[in-house]
Amino acid sequence: MKVRYLIIALLLVISGVVVLVYVLQSEEHKIKRRFTSLAKWASKEEGENNLTMVQKTRSIGSLCAKTCYIKAPGTTFSGTYSSQQISALAARARLPFTSLSLRFDDLHIEVTGQQGATVRVTAQLLGTQKRGERVDDTRELECRLHKAEGKWLFTHFALIEVLER
Amino acid sequence: MAYLIFGHLLIPLRIKGSSMEPTYHNGGVNFCWTLGYLFSRPVRHDVVLVRLAGKRVVLMKRVVAVEGEGVAFRDGKLFVNGSMVNEPYVRYPCNWNLGPRRVKNGYIYVVGDNRSMYMEDHSFGQTPIERIAGVPLW
């Protein structure tokens, strides 16, 4: 009798582990992790040293495909960039800030076929500039990713104009 | 039941930012009543909640013009279809100037109540009615 309950409990645990592994390995979850990584590496704490800065900006570049298109109307950032250029762009964008945090909410992920995905997301940027000014900006983004060698890489970032002046 | 009510009908909100001061304060709490426009459409002076990619983060703004209307700002005063609109909720001085533009079909024009900031620093403009997530409960 006790052995039977033990076997049932073991089967339940194994099923749970299998479900968890499946969920964790789902494409949507992998894509969400890319956004989590992007948010982590875009962030900046006060007193960040140059080594950390280089590591973080290189990591941001590694999230992007060989070419990545940025569409940001009203800014000088629009254009097509290599992943190395993305790293340099990230470094330049982070430079004026003493502290910075990036957060992604309301991710709507649509996986198209085996290798493509489109994500609509709300991005919130909070930071303090070196001259003391606080920045608090919330935007909607449309991002596209492509799966290459098992990794999801960003190929496209577009700022969505929610309010058209 | 709680999930249905507070997840979809009356979504709790915490207000961040000062774009709707003094009507709504930074740090204030409210609820997004998602059925506010079930049987009607937004009209001028309504306060609405504009969704971005989802309902977790929304923009709180006031409707100043509806589809087909012309909107402009002259020396801080709102003009709709050439006539000045009385806005008692705008309490801080404003010096905005914005040339006339027409609100597209299916869109509404929204602006925050706090117009003391530079116009360039204030998010406002026309947005599709489909983006209206709801209205603040109070």
Side-chain angles (χ1 to χ4, degrees), chain B residues 22-89:
Chain B
T23 317
Y24 293 97
H25 304 296
N26 181 33
V29 293
N30 210 310
F31 291 88
C32 171
W33 172 230
T34 60
L35 301 181
Y37 292 116
L38 190 62
F39 302 113
S40 62
R41 285 165 79 90
V43 296
R44 184 161 28 261
H45 302 313
D46 279 359
V47 177
V48 296
L49 299 161
V50 181
R51 63 165 182 81
L52 292 140
K55 287 183 181 171
R56 198 183 151 92
V57 179
V58 295
L59 302 175
M60 181 186 269
K61 299 287 174 190
R62 192 181 294 272
V63 179
V64 297
V66 297
E67 62 181 0
E69 293 184 326
V71 179
F73 281 94
R74 267 181 252 146
D75 295 324
K77 301 290 178 201
L78 170 72
F79 286 79
V80 175
N81 291 340
S83 302
M84 197 176 89
V85 175
N86 184 29
E87 296 189 284
Y89 41 79

Side-chain angles (χ1 to χ4, degrees), chain A residues 52-80:
Chain A
T52 306
M53 183 272 289
V54 168
Q55 277 173 339
K56 282 191 168 187
T57 51
R58 274 198 188 153
S59 298
I60 290 171
S62 73
L63 291 173
C64 300
K66 281 183 191 160
T67 57
C68 186
Y69 177 65
I70 296 178
K71 184 180 170 191
T75 74
T76 53
F77 292 118
S78 295
T80 304

Side-chain angles (χ1 to χ4, degrees), chain A residues 147-158:
Chain A
K147 195 172 182 184
E149 293 169 7
K151 273 199 240 177
W152 285 99
L153 299 170
F154 290 98
T155 59
H156 180 108
F157 291 95

